[in-house]
Amino acid sequence: MRRWIQSLTLLAAIIACRSVIAQSPSNEPATKPAVGRLPGVTVDAKKRQVRVECEALNVDIRLEFFCVLAGTSDHESILRTKARPSDIHAGMLMCGLTPGEPVKFSEATQKWLPPHGPPIHITCEYEKDGKTVSVPANRMFRDVKTRKTPRAFTWIFAGSRVMDDGKYAADTTGYVVSLVNFDLTLIDVPELVSNANETLEWEFNPDTVPKTGTPVMMIIEPAGKDAPAPAGGASPAPTPDAPTTQSTGEANPAPISDAKLDEKKMAELKARWEKSVRPNANALRVAAQAHYEVLAAMRREQQRLINEADRIQRAIDELEKDYQDMTTPRPEK
């Protein structure tokens, strides 16, 4: 019932967004795709893109979030935005995505259940030295110990939820994109990851995150089988590990080298991949599922041990308090 109420609540936002599209100037070219706009959010349903206006943060602390609503958990995030999470949610619905469900505790099994939802890719764009730099979101944070960025990182559209008072939860908490699990976040990681301070593993990457206050466009797109197919003749998307730049100067600049693609070599490599990888697709899926389940089980065990350690610490604190009460000198009556 709650998910149904949430859908009805957000449907109003979608209708409002579509009305903005319908009211766009009539002198726009007929071939231009309709674009919906909400405060701080631009939705291109044809490209299946949600673009969110943000600004960079340089926080010297282990991270819990990639993006938050400004004025909430800014001290624990890489980006902040003035856009309402419910508007971002509406934009993702307009792009054909259906929210899953945030992390939750099962009373029946006495276990935490991981969040689920359609996979999401996030890219960030900002100006650097007169050029628009495009950086995959996973390159904007790094491991606190190894200083290495994750080679791949996929989020899921968990969808937050509507509270009993009718408010959209993420609008109140400010949780837009999480790096660890929160039950009221809009976009979460797909496996169980504790938000306990001692388990946080990411920090901002000073090599890719611009200085605090720099405008950053966060681009949200479907991933996996939900990802939009590139238009005919379009350049392939950038790889997760390499930022790209787009010149802001004249269109179609002259090439700076005479390098050409070796079509024969590329065909041979693709044929090799098809021969070696494609026949093992089912085995790879089984292995990937096993990998996910094993890591999820390990994280559940990790969380259980953390909970047990908390219980022991509380017992220690209680005994220490009792001991101090018994050994503290008191004035004679």
Side-chain angles (χ1 to χ4, degrees):
M1 175 66 73
R2 181 170 293 175
R3 304 296 290 180
W4 180 74
I5 294 173
Q6 177 175 344
S7 297
L8 286 180
T9 302
L10 288 165
L11 181 59
I14 298 174
I15 293 173
C17 192
R18 285 177 174 168
S19 69
V20 174
I21 296 174
Q23 296 170 12
S24 59
S26 58
N27 60 353
E28 293 283 351
T31 57
K32 184 176 181 179
V35 175
R37 292 184 178 85
L38 292 165
V41 181
T42 302
V43 183
D44 190 325
K46 185 174 181 180
K47 290 184 178 180
R48 304 187 72 191
Q49 279 189 354
V50 179
R51 301 175 68 89
V52 183
E53 298 172 12
C54 305
E55 65 178 16
L57 298 169
N58 299 163
V59 296
D60 188 19
I61 192 174
R62 295 193 179 196
L63 300 169
E64 296 188 1
F65 303 96
F66 183 77
C67 181
V68 297
L69 181 64
T72 57
S73 300
D74 306 45
H75 64 292
E76 299 171 308
S77 182
I78 293 175
L79 302 177
R80 63 184 170 198
T81 179
K82 294 182 180 179
R84 293 195 306 173
S86 57
D87 287 342
I88 301 173
H89 185 132
M92 296 169 74
L93 292 178
M94 290 184 65
C95 290
L97 291 170
T98 301
E101 191 174 19
V103 63
K104 66 177 181 179
F105 186 76
S106 170
E107 294 292 345
T109 62
Q110 289 295 296
K111 294 181 179 179
W112 283 96
L113 303 179
H116 63 89
I120 298 298
H121 277 326
I122 299 177
T123 308
C124 295
E125 291 182 354
Y126 57 89
E127 293 295 316
K128 181 179 181 181
D129 300 328
K131 296 180 180 180
T132 299
V133 179
S134 179
V135 181
N138 61 289
R139 294 212 56 219
M140 298 184 74
F141 53 93
R142 65 186 186 183
D143 188 285
V144 296
K145 296 178 180 179
T146 66
R147 298 293 191 270
K148 293 182 178 180
T149 60
R151 290 193 60 81
F153 207 96
T154 300
W155 283 272
I156 57 166
F157 178 23
S160 191
R161 58 189 172 91
V162 174
M163 307 293 283
D164 293 335
D165 59 4
K167 295 180 179 178
Y168 185 69
D171 283 350
T172 300
T173 63
Y175 301 166
V176 180
V177 182
S178 299
L179 291 172
V180 293
N181 295 144
F182 286 96
D183 64 347
L184 302 179
T185 192
L186 171 62
I187 298 173
D188 205 346
V189 291
E191 64 277 337
L192 289 174
V193 181
S194 172
N195 56 36
N197 287 336
E198 60 269 26
T199 64
L200 300 180
E201 58 180 332
W202 304 116
E203 64 182 7
F204 93 98
N205 184 359
D207 295 332
T208 52
V209 178
K211 66 180 182 180
T212 294
T214 300
V216 176
M217 185 67 72
M218 181 173 68
I219 305 169
I220 303 170
E221 299 175 285
K225 65 181 180 64
D226 295 316
S235 300
T239 61
D241 296 303
T244 62
T245 59
Q246 298 172 339
S247 174
T248 56
E250 60 178 316
N252 301 320
I256 60 175
S257 78
D258 58 356
K260 294 182 179 179
L261 178 66
D262 188 335
E263 299 284 357
K264 181 179 179 181
K265 185 65 175 179
M266 290 296 295
E268 291 174 352
L269 292 172
K270 184 176 179 180
R272 180 183 173 188
W273 188 95
E274 291 287 350
K275 181 180 179 181
S276 302
V277 179
R278 184 77 67 187
N280 297 305
N282 290 334
L284 289 171
R285 292 191 190 98
V286 172
Q289 183 65 30
H291 173 79
Y292 172 84
E293 292 175 355
V294 168
L295 292 188
M298 287 182 174
R299 288 193 173 99
R300 287 195 296 270
E301 179 64 9
Q302 179 188 50
Q303 186 61 54
R304 186 186 69 79
L305 293 175
I306 291 171
N307 293 339
E308 290 299 307
D310 288 343
R311 290 178 56 195
I312 295 172
Q313 186 61 53
R314 286 195 296 271
I316 291 172
D317 293 343
E318 183 177 351
L319 294 177
E320 286 282 7
K321 182 178 181 300
D322 291 345
Y323 180 78
Q324 290 175 3
D325 288 343
M326 288 185 287
T327 59
T328 300
R330 289 175 173 77
E332 295 182 1
K333 294 182 180 180

